[in-house]
Amino acid sequence: MGHRHCQFALGSLIVSTLSPFDFFEKACKLSFEIQKATALEKATALVAPLILSALPQLRKDLELLNAASNDTYALYADMTRNTARPLKVSSDMRPCDFHTLFTGKNLRWEALGLILVIAGCKAQYTAPNDPLFTLEDGKQINRDEFIEDIMHAANTCINICQTHGAVNEIMVSLVYYDLMMVSNFYGDNYHGTWRRMGDCVSALYAAGIHCEESNSEGDNKEPFFMREFRRRLYASVYRSDKTLAVFYGRPPMVGWRYSDRKMMLDISDEAVASEAEDATLLDAELSKLDSAGWNTEGCLHPATFNRVRCQLAVFKERFLEQSLAGEKDSDVVRNVEAISAECTERWDALPAYLRYETYTEDAAWNGRGPGLTVRLIAAYLDYLHLHFQIQRLLHRITQQALPLLLEVSLKLLVTSLISTKPNNRVYETRRNFPTVMLFYCSPAAGVLALELRRCTIKGIPLPSTISRADVIRNLSVLTSCLEWIVLPGDGNHKLCLEFNKMLALVLDEVLNYEPPANGVQANRGDTGASDDNDTLMAGQGFFDMPMTEGLEPIPTVSEEFLNWLDNATWNNKDLF
């Protein structure tokens, strides 16, 4: 960390950023309340009561730090020594005592950092004019400046912890939440997002969270609440790693073969944290689990969605092994088709209340409510996107896969657009749409738009699996949505803007296209194949449109467009 005066300045920055603590306490509580109502993705890694129980003591700790004058050096030194020590959870520890390992006399920098990033994530998903940003004395907090301050302080905190070798569950949680903040602030395609994912995985492995069997007996035996906490944390990191790996087209960092950490139970946070205090609640929820570990009452806990998406992530990893292999297996088609079939079988075996496609519109939006419905949609999009990637790989090998690729692309597009329904335009869920757009909607919409363009120019029909009218109608709805739903301050805003310009250009070209009178482009049958003349018929290979600095021109061929999207890693210079 350098000179002791530098260390003191860094510590003071972190502590001062946590003032007033009333705001951070309120933001953390609201964050977990929203978690109950929506099972918001960023919150599913934590067990709420384990963190909320620490807030009263953290308030006292910060009051002590702020009141200290000549003793501040000594207090910061104690915190640094605590951070460098292992965080040992005894087998008989009660959930309500867990916070004593990182508060009070055991106060650690990573504990302060975790509160920072939980509040920061909550701020990112809260409208600037929300009452949250009005303090009790009437003072108004500037949300954007606050988020920048949080990110700076959190990064400082992580650097301190990494310097002193902090490896524990609180540290992994801190880095994971910071990953969410970085992706929201700079964009999912920002290289720093991928780099922070690496930090998260490194901390996870170093803390041994991927190992369960070795922590099942003797001195290392995990108490029940800690086992479930670690399972949730591992599942969150594992599936996030696979999501980014598929998005970037890069090898994943976490391998399921190197972990024996089991799937978390489908029970509530309150049940996890109530084992010692009220075994009745835990026993009641455990008794209502089926043989596969799902609750039989149709409850949608934060852990529920984590389980669903973690199971899908295993299939993503198997797919990545095939698609990114240096030397392709001669049986790659058969292997990938087997993965697709097994994934479909696993999805169909899920309880019906977990699958969005089994709901009527009224049962979903009015019965479950917009918050939980968006989470159901997100899980379904995850499932569809895996099939999209599988069909994309098969299309590279055999042109016969084009009809199925377009069919699943249209399903992805239509399902993504459901998230923009009028009764779902609250800020929190609207704020999540850019990620839905980049990960799921843009690849599918891009393929549909460019195939529509190719078929229009060549004078051939689209495959019978999709309707030309449906494609045009849904692409038109998407371009309209992108004009208002992606907020200007979002890290993904500019990339979505560029993509929308491309879609508008394609739609204008398709709707206004007039075939040559000489009939050069005769209907040669829709094989889905391309030859050297196709590129000439479809233009110059790239769209003639101004691009944001740092982005390459957008190709006019669907597979090349997907490669462009995979590699569209850039730095949003407006944020530096």
Side-chain angles (χ1 to χ4, degrees), residues 54-198:
L55 294 177
Q57 182 59 51
L58 283 173
R59 172 184 289 277
K60 296 177 182 178
D61 294 338
L62 286 166
E63 288 174 352
L64 178 62
L65 289 171
N66 288 318
S69 53
N70 296 333
D71 294 334
T72 307
Y73 275 110
L75 292 174
Y76 286 178
D78 287 342
M79 290 174 62
T80 303
R81 280 190 288 270
N82 290 337
T83 292
R85 285 198 292 263
L87 194 152
K88 179 67 175 176
V89 181
S90 62
S91 59
D92 59 350
M93 174 165 277
R94 303 163 69 220
C96 62
D97 294 330
F98 175 61
H99 73 88
T100 62
L101 298 178
F102 54 88
T103 63
K105 65 179 182 180
N106 296 315
L107 183 63
R108 294 166 169 259
W109 290 112
E110 59 266 39
L112 299 186
L114 181 57
I115 300 304
L116 282 169
V117 291
I118 292 175
C121 281
K122 174 58 183 171
Q124 286 182 320
Y125 281 83
T126 304
N129 59 350
D130 191 272
L132 172 66
F133 298 107
T134 302
L135 302 180
E136 291 184 359
D137 60 3
K139 182 181 177 182
Q140 192 73 21
I141 293 179
N142 183 299
R143 192 200 71 153
D144 294 338
E145 292 179 0
F146 170 77
I147 291 172
E148 289 190 39
D149 291 342
I150 289 290
M151 293 191 66
H152 179 52
N155 189 59
T156 300
C157 194
I158 290 172
N159 288 338
I160 291 175
C161 294
Q162 289 177 333
T163 298
H164 292 280
V167 285
N168 54 65
E169 293 74 18
I170 302 302
M171 179 63 182
V172 176
S173 301
L174 161 59
V175 180
Y176 181 74
Y177 263 72
D178 189 69
L179 164 67
M180 300 295 109
M181 285 198 71
V182 168
S183 66
N184 289 330
F185 190 77
Y186 292 108
D188 293 296
N189 60 326
Y190 170 55
H191 177 67
T193 302
W194 176 260
R195 187 170 60 244
R196 188 58 91 199
M197 185 77 247

Side-chain angles (χ1 to χ4, degrees), residues 331-344:
D331 293 328
V332 63
V333 172
R334 186 175 63 184
N335 294 341
V336 170
E337 288 177 341
I339 293 171
S340 177
E342 289 178 39
C343 181
T344 300

Side-chain angles (χ1 to χ4, degrees), residues 205-308:
Y205 277 141
I209 295 174
H210 61 299
C211 301
E212 183 163 317
E213 185 64 30
S214 60
N215 294 313
S216 61
E217 56 186 11
D219 294 338
N220 293 327
K221 184 177 181 180
E222 301 170 319
F224 175 82
F225 78 90
M226 202 63 196
R227 186 183 69 192
E228 285 301 307
F229 179 22
R230 288 169 177 164
R231 285 177 174 179
R232 294 182 184 204
L233 200 52
Y234 177 80
S236 296
V237 174
Y238 178 82
R239 64 177 173 77
S240 296
D241 171 57
K242 302 306 166 293
T243 299
L244 284 180
V246 172
F247 176 63
Y248 283 111
R250 298 173 185 171
M253 303 181 199
V254 185
W256 66 272
R257 288 185 174 87
Y258 306 108
S259 172
D260 63 355
R261 180 62 64 182
K262 294 180 174 58
M263 193 69 68
M264 75 219 81
L265 297 174
D266 185 16
I267 57 178
S268 67
D269 287 5
E270 290 72 23
V272 171
S274 68
E275 179 195 18
E277 288 72 31
D278 182 12
T280 304
L281 175 60
L282 176 62
D283 292 342
E285 292 200 17
L286 289 177
S287 68
K288 295 171 184 175
L289 299 180
D290 64 18
S291 59
W294 301 107
N295 76 78
T296 55
E297 294 196 326
C299 298
L300 295 176
H301 304 300
T304 307
F305 294 105
N306 211 349
R307 278 175 58 91
V308 173

Side-chain angles (χ1 to χ4, degrees), residues 339-359:
I339 293 171
S340 177
E342 289 178 39
C343 181
T344 300
E345 183 179 356
R346 176 64 66 87
W347 179 262
D348 291 341
L350 291 175
Y353 68 85
L354 296 177
R355 292 181 284 131
Y356 173 76
E357 74 275 20
T358 66
Y359 285 81

Side-chain angles (χ1 to χ4, degrees), residues 292-323:
W294 301 107
N295 76 78
T296 55
E297 294 196 326
C299 298
L300 295 176
H301 304 300
T304 307
F305 294 105
N306 211 349
R307 278 175 58 91
V308 173
R309 300 188 71 173
C310 189
Q311 289 187 6
L312 289 173
V314 175
F315 290 102
K316 289 183 184 180
E317 183 175 349
R318 291 175 57 190
F319 163 74
L320 287 167
E321 289 175 348
Q322 297 294 320
S323 64

Side-chain angles (χ1 to χ4, degrees), residues 446-491:
V447 167
L448 289 168
L450 295 178
E451 282 301 315
L452 174 67
R453 179 179 185 270
R454 182 183 70 86
C455 290
T456 299
I457 292 175
K458 292 178 65 176
I460 60 177
L462 287 166
S464 59
T465 52
I466 60 171
S467 160
R468 175 184 171 89
D470 285 344
V471 171
I472 292 176
R473 180 169 57 253
N474 283 285
L475 288 177
S476 299
V477 172
L478 176 60
T479 58
S480 175
C481 288
L482 286 175
E483 292 178 357
W484 65 268
I485 200 168
V486 182
L487 300 164
D490 192 282

